[in-house]
Amino acid sequence: MAAAAAATFLPHTPTPRRRLAVAVHSPTRRRLSLVFSGPPDGALSVAAAEEKADAGEEAAAAVSAPRGGGGGGGKERRRVVRKAWEKLVRWSRSWRRRNRSDVVETTRKVVVLGGGSFGTAMAAQVAAKKADLEVSMLLRDDLVCRSINHSHINCKYLRDHRLPENITATTSASDALAGADFCFHAVPVQFSSSFLEGISTHVDPKLPFISLSKGLELNTLRTMSQIIPQALGNPRQPFIVLSGPSFAIELMNKLPTAMVVASKDKKLAAAVQQLLASPNLRISTSNDVTGVEIAGALKNVLAIAAGIVEGMHLGNNCMAALVAQGCSEIRWLATKMGAKPTTLSGLSGSGDIMLTCFVNLSRNRNVGLRLGSGEKLDEIMNSMNQVAEGVSTAGAVIALAQKYHVKMPVLTAVARIIDNELTPKKAVMELMNLPQVEEV
């Protein structure tokens, strides 16, 4: 569990290669030294030198530590843990010194397309990086524009949070996009293609697009990495996807959050990482765009299933079994499409699934909960002021599964419930009566 946590919250860096030197023995003292192969230029960093010394001390302590679990052993274990933590902190400081970036310093303007809760939260996150950074939000609603420009509040979403004063809003695409260094796309997937086609003449062909939208286009089964360049008429439009377990309200409250940016362009992913990273937001990088996008789309459908279980009061055993099965189905399809298994067990996979399936702030989970409680889908959707992407994505997921010849019983059941072809109770009965098979 500690290893998993470390993998989530520590950036990946190459592990220095080690070789054990010959142990030097003396009648009164034993010493074991670890020799590290140095960095490319042959110099040993301060952090590596300290690690080398610490390793020797810990090895010596391990040899001399009393056995049998007595009080001395407990004290020694605490000392070893303390040393490990101190070494981790030193490594972190050293890594930050070596990886300083001027991305924030050289960025003058960022544009956010869309004024929903998550787009607003990301605008606030970037605007807080420096006071003279211009953050422009492109919106459709004049009332929200005026509210942001005059009161620094999005009157429709996150109304209890004041936005940084360097955020402005406009309904003019040319004004918003002029001179932008980065563009955050926060328009719902089903409306993205037509929206982007309408503003394409104002988009610089080299402007990096960071997609915040999760889902699949219903009729075409396209992901945002396909929609954005095609809608803009530029197959080489720089693209990054941002995903991971994150609620807008918690970002606004500056609670600790970890996400991942994925791009085929390693340097671009690193630049966006530096643009977004802050004391309350950790950003990992990945080149697995497919894995991050597919996990982000399918988890919304699984969250509806989890909500249905909760709404029907089917218990914790059922919830655990259903989510585990759903995770397997996501893995089967995503890997068939070329995703990396490690992506699916990371922030954009398991991390986002846990958040979306088990937490009441999830819109998709709440749709499922209300369906499980007996409400009709039309009533639910008409009462919501935000988009639950899982509803429109469900049908696309099943079409995609058929294309790749993958069986997805849980996610297929959700699609049939949404299409009003199956009741939640009947769906559960059918799923429980599936053949007893070997777990894969």
Side-chain angles (χ1 to χ4, degrees):
M1 188 169 180
T8 299
F9 283 95
L10 296 180
H12 174 73
T13 55
T15 304
R17 297 171 57 191
R18 308 181 181 186
R19 67 180 186 274
L20 282 176
V22 176
V24 180
H25 300 275
S26 72
T28 59
R29 181 180 178 187
R30 297 179 180 181
R31 180 168 59 89
L32 179 66
S33 64
L34 288 173
V35 181
F36 286 74
S37 61
D41 61 1
L44 192 65
S45 69
V46 173
E50 291 174 343
E51 185 173 345
K52 176 181 174 182
D54 288 344
E57 290 178 17
E58 289 166 14
V63 171
S64 60
R67 301 175 183 239
K75 182 178 180 180
E76 183 56 39
R77 282 192 297 273
R78 288 194 296 273
R79 192 192 71 81
V80 169
V81 170
R82 187 185 73 251
K83 281 282 187 182
W85 177 257
E86 291 171 352
K87 184 163 60 176
L88 177 66
V89 171
R90 285 198 301 271
W91 168 82
S92 175
R93 291 171 180 166
S94 174
W95 188 91
R96 288 198 300 271
R97 285 195 300 268
R98 294 195 307 270
N99 290 274
R100 283 177 181 165
S101 169
D102 60 354
V103 171
V104 176
E105 285 74 15
T106 58
T107 299
R108 295 289 175 259
K109 181 178 179 180
V110 170
V111 60
V112 178
L113 308 180
S117 59
F118 204 78
T120 302
M122 293 312 300
Q125 176 71 28
V126 175
K129 298 287 284 193
K130 64 176 185 178
D132 61 345
L133 175 62
E134 181 184 353
V135 179
S136 179
M137 298 181 67
L138 177 59
L139 311 177
R140 293 179 301 171
D141 192 325
D142 281 320
L143 178 62
V144 176
C145 278
R146 290 196 298 271
S147 176
I148 291 174
N149 292 333
H150 297 155
S151 305
H152 305 293
I153 291 172
N154 185 327
C155 61
K156 194 171 182 180
Y157 304 104
L158 305 170
R159 288 173 293 197
D160 294 332
H161 292 80
R162 185 177 175 83
L163 301 176
E165 295 189 3
N166 53 331
I167 294 178
T168 59
T170 179
T171 57
S172 168
S174 58
D175 291 347
L177 289 159
D181 298 300
F182 292 94
C183 177
F184 287 85
H185 180 89
V187 178
V189 172
Q190 307 308 321
F191 308 106
S192 289
S193 185
S194 58
F195 172 81
L196 290 168
E197 288 170 0
I199 66 169
S200 60
T201 56
H202 306 291
V203 176
D204 188 302
K206 295 183 179 180
L207 177 63
F209 266 68
I210 305 161
S211 174
L212 311 180
S213 308
K214 299 175 182 178
L216 299 170
E217 195 172 49
L218 185 57
N219 296 326
T220 65
L221 311 184
R222 294 185 299 174
T223 60
M224 290 306 303
S225 62
Q226 298 167 314
I227 293 171
I228 288 176
Q230 290 176 20
L232 295 176
N234 178 17
R236 300 179 67 83
Q237 193 79 42
F239 178 84
I240 311 96
V241 56
L242 173 67
S243 191
S246 50
F247 287 134
I249 186 69
E250 295 193 2
L251 282 169
M252 294 299 290
N253 289 332
K254 300 190 182 303
L255 297 177
T257 303
M259 303 180 72
V260 60
V261 289
S263 176
K264 300 296 184 184
D265 185 333
K266 186 176 181 179
K267 290 184 178 178
L268 183 56
V272 176
Q273 178 187 50
Q274 294 298 321
L275 178 68
L276 292 176
S278 71
N280 62 286
L281 179 60
R282 290 194 57 81
I283 301 291
S284 300
T285 60
S286 170
N287 64 358
D288 186 9
V289 173
T290 298
V292 171
E293 285 197 293
I294 293 300
L298 271 60
K299 60 93 184 180
N300 285 329
V301 184
L302 181 55
I304 293 175
I308 289 172
V309 169
E310 183 72 17
M312 295 178 69
H313 306 290
L314 296 179
N316 296 321
N317 292 352
C318 182
M319 178 69 78
L322 176 130
V323 173
Q325 171 66 25
C327 288
S328 294
E329 293 177 15
I330 292 172
R331 171 170 52 85
W332 298 337
L333 178 58
T335 52
K336 273 285 190 76
M337 296 177 67
K340 298 177 182 178
T342 50
T343 300
L344 305 176
S345 61
L347 288 167
S348 60
S350 298
D352 214 356
I353 288 170
M354 285 189 283
L355 187 79
T356 313
C357 288
F358 301 137
V359 180
N360 287 332
L361 287 173
S362 166
R363 296 192 296 270
N364 292 284
R365 182 182 184 277
N366 283 329
V367 168
L369 193 152
R370 294 172 67 178
L371 284 171
S373 301
E375 290 187 56
K376 299 296 183 183
L377 181 62
D378 288 343
E379 298 172 359
I380 298 170
M381 301 307 292
N382 289 335
S383 69
M384 297 178 66
N385 66 345
Q386 291 181 292
V387 175
E389 288 280 12
V391 174
S392 53
T393 299
V397 168
I398 306 312
L400 206 57
Q402 291 174 346
K403 177 181 177 180
Y404 286 91
H405 307 290
V406 176
K407 289 183 172 63
M408 307 179 75
V410 167
L411 301 190
T412 302
V414 174
R416 287 181 60 80
I417 292 170
I418 287 172
D419 290 341
N420 202 29
E421 295 179 354
L422 200 63
T423 66
K425 183 176 180 180
K426 181 69 173 175
V428 171
M429 291 175 59
E430 293 289 350
L431 289 172
M432 290 301 294
N433 284 325
L434 289 173
Q436 313 293 324
V437 296
E438 181 180 1
E439 186 176 52
V440 292

